[in-house]
Amino acid sequence: MLTSLKIFAVNHQKICRMHINTICCCRIRTSFKRLKTCVPLIRNYSSLPGLIGNDVKSLHSIINPPIAKIRNIGIMAHIDAGKTTTTERILYYSGYTRSLGDVDDGDTVTDFMAQERERGITIQSAAVTFDWKGYRINLIDTPGHVDFTLEVERCLRVLDGAVAVFDASAGVEAQTLTVWRQADKHKIPRICFVNKMDKTGASFNYTVESIRKKLKAKPLLLQLPIGEAKAFKGVVDVVSKEKLLWTSNSADGKDFERKPLLEKSDPELLKETTEARNVLIEQVADLDDEFADLVLREFSENFDLLPAEKLQTAIHRITLAQAAVPVLCGSALKNKGIQPLLDAITMYLPSPEECKYEFLQWHKGDLCALAFKVLHDKQRGPLVFLRIYSGTLKPQLAIHNINRNCTERMSRLLLPFADQHIEIPSLAAGNIALTVGLKHTATGDTIVSSKSSALAAVRQAERGGKKNRQSSEEAERLLLAGVEIPEPVFFCTIEPPSMAKQPDLDHALKCLQREDPSLKVRLDPDSGQTILCGMGELHIEIIHERIKREYGLETYLGPLQVAYRETVLNSVRTTDTLDRTLGDKRHLVTVELEAGPAEATSVVPVIAYAESISEDLLQASQEVIENGIHSACLQGPLLGSPVQDVAITLHSVIIHPGTSMTMVSACVSRCVQKALKKAEKQILEPLMHLEVTVATDYLSPVLADLAQRRGNIQEIQTRQDNKVVIGFVPLAEIMGYSTVLRTLTSGSATFALELSTYQAMSPQDQNSLLNQRSSTF
């Protein structure tokens, strides 16, 4: 066996060692034996990518394919649109798995957590690597639930393209809008897959129209469905004017027929397809000048003569420019339409070299990677997912973390296969890697080869910034582009079963925080209790279950509470002096500042300095002054909630010689707290954007219930046979709403929530809340 490996690797790349998971080991050996005997290979669940059929390549090309053949994509959608089922079919048809997984059966590859399989939802994103017709696809299945929006955000940050999945009976839903906005923010090209065409009430035209209206996108119809709902049996390829029919005797959907549309057999379908193709050509010509010139020059009289390849190339350019989105359709559950979707991914979505990343010019081919996810493995410790933008990663490599300003050694390098991984000797730019041994790296950290290369990149950025009239701060922002972490809206206390278990709980929470940056943990200064802050009821519930299952701790959660904010309504100017003698040293600080409402919404305090503050003083103590202001705004005077939308202007700071900087920070903090107490205060409550889908018969009781919850209804839309109620409601009024809604509608209604903004409470509601809190404590 070892001799075979040596023969196989000669003339390519030396492999120091190859570790393969126990489950994979025998299958990999079988694959290499087949290589030796030149028997055609059959890809199975755990074989190395690239060993398919007679396509036997070098080990180097298997691990590091040409960058033009790489696709880094994500699957994104509203909850229950069929993301995970689509991913399962993709893995099966690509040869990655040998059996079809099902969400209801709890045996899917990407939903491998116990909670995911029990609940039938995706909680954390999972990465898988597979091949399709000579292309390497790194695919990430993302959650659809609003509580796990950060999972989508941090994955989109490192992807080159995305597939947006839609429920054909519902069209664009609440969370679809959210993930679409996230993709817009990161300028990610995407294609649309209208799923569940077999579902009762499915409507391709309705879904396409909702994409056009709600997402403000230009859909390019590359396929048309043959039948809808129970009559759905295949799709028509508009570009090539062919019909794709899946045979009824093929249980797994692998076998389908591709036939050209003929006047004799399909006159109506051919007419409809020809019209759709002509419309598509006109749309593409409007959006792409090069294609328009071609059409006007050679094919203006007869669009039928236009080659499919020319049209596909133009659609690729338009998709990359995000001028429009290709639309395909199918039914993942019924195994129809997935193979053409895979073809569209390789054909229309960009390779890493087609994506422009400004910060890469500063690195000049040196290693540059972004850590976008951390998992904790009991045997191997922290596993860090890295997107490699330039350079090459190798095991035992020392890397420098710019954000943490520390150097770490990576012990092993793996290709990600959901919860199973294969060790590899190197990985080049454009790929997604899984590393072992990085103990300090967290989500959003930028990784380079060394500190000197980081400094060289900063110098390059500053030089480039001067040429482009940009500041060095702008250059630094390009280098350290991380992930925006949303603020939590719920919190509760969490206690271990005994005080002896407190260190174990602290360790578990530290690990979970590193995995999930949207989870915040703080210590209540008054009671000494640990406070758990999360994005929603489900988020905190999942964390509680994970602590029990993964760390063996039976913790106790206090009642869920809403994370309010506080602000001030008028400006107040105060002075404070701190005079303290410690040992033989006297520490004396006098601070004068003004606190008032900020002009624009800001989560952190807006800090300004009066002209009387000297530059020398600011250089020496600006950092400690701002630390004092920030710490004072963490707890407001009314509820102890964070203070936002506040502006602090520092008028005077007098520091006695020999005074500790800690005392300066403490004095500033105390002065800010004094000003906040004097000012007129206001509580801000989280306002949620609510979307309820309900049958017409139950609309009245749902609207009456929302009116009692201080709901503000914006509009009522019609979606097929249902009504969609869209409005805003305070988070405090919506806790436990799912149970009430099920009761009101006999379990037929669904709803989606998303944080919209923080709004001021009315004086009556504010007094009621304060009285309730004072009676509790």
Side-chain angles (χ1 to χ4, degrees):
M1 179 63 194
L2 289 171
T3 309
S4 303
L5 280 171
K6 286 174 184 175
I7 291 168
F8 180 78
V10 77
N11 296 328
H12 296 297
Q13 182 175 347
K14 290 184 179 179
I15 303 174
C16 299
R17 61 191 175 91
M18 180 171 281
H19 168 82
I20 295 165
N21 285 353
T22 315
I23 299 173
C24 310
C25 196
C26 61
R27 293 174 181 167
I28 295 292
R29 286 175 182 159
T30 306
S31 296
F32 282 118
K33 282 177 184 175
R34 288 174 180 171
L35 274 174
K36 184 179 176 183
T37 55
C38 298
V39 176
L41 285 164
I42 299 170
R43 179 78 176 274
N44 61 34
Y45 179 75
S46 303
S47 58
L48 277 171
L51 305 178
I52 306 177
N54 294 314
D55 183 19
V56 179
K57 309 170 188 174
S58 71
L59 190 61
H60 181 74
S61 68
I62 289 168
I63 293 167
N64 284 309
I67 194 166
K69 295 284 188 181
I70 296 173
R71 298 289 183 271
N72 293 311
I73 66 158
I75 307 285
M76 62 183 201
H78 184 85
I79 190 169
D80 205 31
K83 295 180 303 300
T84 302
T85 304
T86 303
T87 305
E88 280 299 313
R89 300 314 183 257
I90 286 173
L91 297 180
Y92 180 70
Y93 298 132
S94 66
Y96 176 82
T97 57
R98 290 188 296 181
S99 61
L100 288 168
D102 193 282
V103 173
D104 294 333
D105 295 339
D107 59 355
T108 56
V109 173
T110 52
D111 282 358
F112 52 83
M113 283 175 60
Q115 293 94 328
E116 291 177 316
R117 293 187 165 180
E118 286 172 5
R119 296 168 186 267
I121 61 169
T122 302
I123 291 167
Q124 64 177 22
S125 53
V128 285
T129 299
F130 61 90
D131 291 334
W132 178 256
K133 295 183 179 178
Y135 287 84
R136 167 64 47 80
I137 299 177
N138 298 311
L139 181 146
I140 297 180
D141 178 27
T142 62
H145 199 283
V146 69
D147 284 15
F148 310 107
T149 299
L150 179 69
E151 279 289 322
V152 184
E153 176 81 20
R154 63 180 174 182
C155 292
L156 288 177
R157 172 67 186 79
V158 297
L159 296 174
D160 302 323
V163 177
V165 180
F166 299 84
D167 183 334
S169 66
V172 174
E173 298 175 88
Q175 189 66 6
T176 317
L177 282 162
T178 303
V179 295
W180 196 269
R181 283 196 299 267
Q182 288 173 314
D184 280 340
K185 182 170 74 174
H186 295 294
K187 297 178 180 176
I188 293 172
R190 66 218 82 150
I191 58 180
C192 299
F193 180 63
V194 181
N195 190 28
K196 301 191 178 184
M197 283 304 304
D198 63 306
K199 188 177 175 182
T200 303
S203 172
F204 183 70
N205 291 336
Y206 169 79
T207 305
V208 170
E209 197 57 33
S210 71
I211 290 171
R212 184 180 285 110
K213 286 183 178 178
K214 293 186 179 180
L215 301 179
K216 304 294 186 287
K218 293 180 181 176
L220 301 176
L221 303 189
L222 307 190
Q223 290 180 351
L224 297 174
I226 302 174
E228 291 181 345
K230 290 181 180 179
F232 177 68
K233 56 183 177 179
V235 299
V236 173
D237 188 328
V238 174
V239 177
S240 63
K241 291 171 73 172
E242 295 175 317
K243 63 178 179 180
L244 285 68
L245 295 173
W246 275 259
T247 54
S248 55
N249 56 0
S250 175
D252 61 0
K254 270 192 176 178
D255 302 324
F256 64 94
E257 295 177 310
R258 183 185 283 269
K259 294 179 180 178
L261 288 170
L262 301 172
E263 184 70 44
K264 284 183 181 180
S265 54
D266 304 290
E268 289 185 17
L269 200 54
L270 178 61
K271 183 185 176 184
E272 187 184 350
T273 305
T274 303
E275 289 174 0
R277 191 176 193 267
N278 292 344
V279 170
L280 176 65
I281 290 169
E282 289 170 5
Q283 282 181 299
V284 174
D286 285 342
L287 297 168
D288 187 86
D289 293 339
E290 186 181 334
F291 182 74
D293 291 342
L294 174 73
V295 171
L296 290 171
R297 195 172 58 248
E298 299 179 35
F299 306 103
S300 58
E301 293 183 6
N302 190 353
F303 285 169
D304 289 342
L305 299 176
L306 179 72
E309 295 76 19
K310 298 285 186 184
L311 182 53
Q312 287 165 345
T313 304
I315 293 169
H316 176 73
R317 287 196 298 269
I318 289 170
T319 307
L320 262 59
Q322 297 166 61
V325 287
V327 178
L328 298 94
C329 60
S331 170
L333 189 64
K334 299 297 182 182
N335 312 318
K336 292 172 184 173
I338 302 301
Q339 295 95 326
L341 175 63
L342 277 165
D343 292 335
I345 287 168
T346 58
M347 199 178 298
Y348 302 122
L349 291 180
S351 68
E353 64 182 357
E354 290 176 305
C355 299
K356 292 179 181 178
Y357 298 105
E358 291 181 44
F359 57 85
L360 286 186
Q361 61 186 308
W362 320 129
H363 292 278
K364 296 200 174 277
D366 281 345
L367 176 66
C368 176
L370 183 78
F372 67 94
K373 185 173 171 65
V374 180
L375 288 175
H376 274 82
D377 186 277
K378 288 183 179 178
Q379 279 75 38
R380 291 174 285 197
L383 305 176
V384 181
F385 284 84
L386 297 177
R387 163 68 197 269
I388 310 170
Y389 287 103
S390 67
T392 304
L393 269 182
K394 292 182 179 178
Q396 303 303 320
L397 184 74
I399 55 94
H400 180 71
N401 186 324
I402 295 180
N403 299 61
R404 315 270 158 191
N405 194 22
C406 67
T407 299
E408 296 189 86
R409 187 169 295 278
M410 182 178 57
S411 60
R412 292 160 62 194
L413 186 64
L414 309 167
L415 266 184
F417 286 84
D419 60 342
Q420 298 187 31
H421 315 109
I422 289 179
E423 187 162 348
I424 50 173
S426 69
L427 207 58
N431 282 289
I432 288 174
L434 188 56
T435 61
V436 182
L438 303 182
K439 292 185 167 51
H440 304 291
T441 302
T443 297
D445 288 357
T446 303
I447 303 298
V448 293
S449 54
S450 64
K451 192 168 186 176
S452 58
S453 72
L455 293 171
V458 170
R459 284 194 293 270
Q460 284 283 341
E462 286 174 348
R463 281 199 289 270
K466 285 172 186 173
K467 286 178 187 174
N468 300 325
R469 295 181 180 178
Q470 290 177 324
S471 64
S472 60
E473 286 84 1
E474 175 69 10
E476 191 173 291
R477 189 185 68 77
L478 292 173
L479 286 165
L480 308 174
V483 180
E484 287 184 25
I485 298 166
E487 289 297 314
V489 294
F490 274 115
F491 71 93
C492 65
T493 58
I494 182 168
E495 295 179 359
S498 65
M499 287 308 295
K501 294 287 184 180
Q502 185 66 47
D504 295 336
L505 176 60
D506 293 341
H507 170 72
L509 290 173
K510 186 180 177 183
C511 292
L512 290 170
Q513 269 186 288
R514 197 169 163 209
E515 280 189 33
D516 180 4
S518 66
L519 172 70
K520 302 280 173 63
V521 179
R522 60 183 174 86
L523 198 67
D524 188 295
D526 299 323
S527 65
Q529 289 180 301
T530 304
I531 308 294
L532 202 61
C533 309
M535 299 303 300
E537 293 177 81
L538 181 62
H539 187 202
I540 287 179
E541 192 180 324
I542 293 293
I543 293 297
H544 185 223
E545 283 184 22
R546 288 190 66 188
I547 292 170
K548 180 181 177 181
R549 288 176 191 254
E550 296 172 29
Y551 298 92
L553 287 172
E554 285 279 1
T555 53
Y556 304 104
L557 291 183
L560 274 181
Q561 297 183 56
V562 175
Y564 292 99
R565 302 275 175 85
E566 299 179 31
T567 191
V568 293
L569 301 176
N570 63 329
S571 295
V572 171
R573 191 161 173 163
T574 57
T575 305
D576 194 35
T577 301
L578 190 150
D579 187 355
R580 202 168 284 174
T581 303
L582 298 173
D584 57 349
K585 271 192 177 183
R586 187 187 182 194
H587 301 271
L588 178 60
V589 191
T590 301
V591 175
E592 185 181 358
L593 54 79
E594 184 178 1
E599 291 181 3
T601 299
S602 176
V603 176
V604 293
V606 178
I607 302 170
Y609 299 93
E611 292 181 5
S612 57
I613 306 287
S614 69
E615 286 291 327
D616 293 339
L617 178 67
L618 277 181
Q619 281 184 349
S621 55
Q622 183 175 355
E623 188 179 343
V624 294
I625 288 169
E626 293 187 358
N627 284 343
I629 293 171
H630 284 292
S631 64
C633 291
L634 289 175
Q635 287 193 307
L638 287 174
L639 294 173
S641 301
V643 179
Q644 71 170 43
D645 306 340
V646 65
I648 306 293
T649 304
L650 197 71
H651 290 283
S652 167
V653 179
I654 301 168
I655 304 172
H656 188 272
T659 299
S660 158
M661 286 293 109
T662 307
M663 294 296 180
V664 175
S665 183
C667 183
V668 170
S669 181
R670 201 167 74 175
C671 192
V672 172
Q673 287 174 341
K674 187 189 286 187
L676 293 175
K677 283 178 182 175
K678 283 185 179 179
E680 190 180 340
K681 297 167 282 293
Q682 172 75 60
I683 296 176
L684 305 175
E685 64 177 342
L687 187 69
M688 307 302 287
H689 180 268
L690 175 70
E691 188 174 295
V692 183
T693 305
V694 58
T696 309
D697 297 345
Y698 297 108
L699 181 61
S700 296
V702 168
L703 291 175
D705 180 66
L706 287 174
Q708 291 180 346
R709 296 174 183 270
R710 295 191 283 139
N712 180 10
I713 307 302
Q714 299 293 300
E715 61 177 317
I716 300 173
Q717 299 176 350
T718 301
R719 181 186 292 167
Q720 309 290 65
D721 298 329
N722 293 326
K723 296 292 183 183
V724 181
V725 180
I726 297 171
F728 297 97
V729 62
L731 177 61
E733 302 289 347
I734 212 77
M735 290 173 69
Y737 183 61
S738 56
T739 307
V740 175
L741 186 65
R742 278 197 297 269
T743 306
L744 286 174
T745 63
S746 301
S748 63
T750 59
F751 76 101
L753 274 178
E754 183 185 4
L755 178 65
S756 173
T757 184
Y758 273 81
Q759 71 166 10
M761 294 184 79
S762 67
Q764 298 89 342
D765 293 329
Q766 180 169 315
N767 290 334
S768 174
L769 176 64
L770 290 171
N771 291 335
Q772 182 187 335
R773 287 290 178 94
S774 61
S775 62
T776 306
F777 296 108

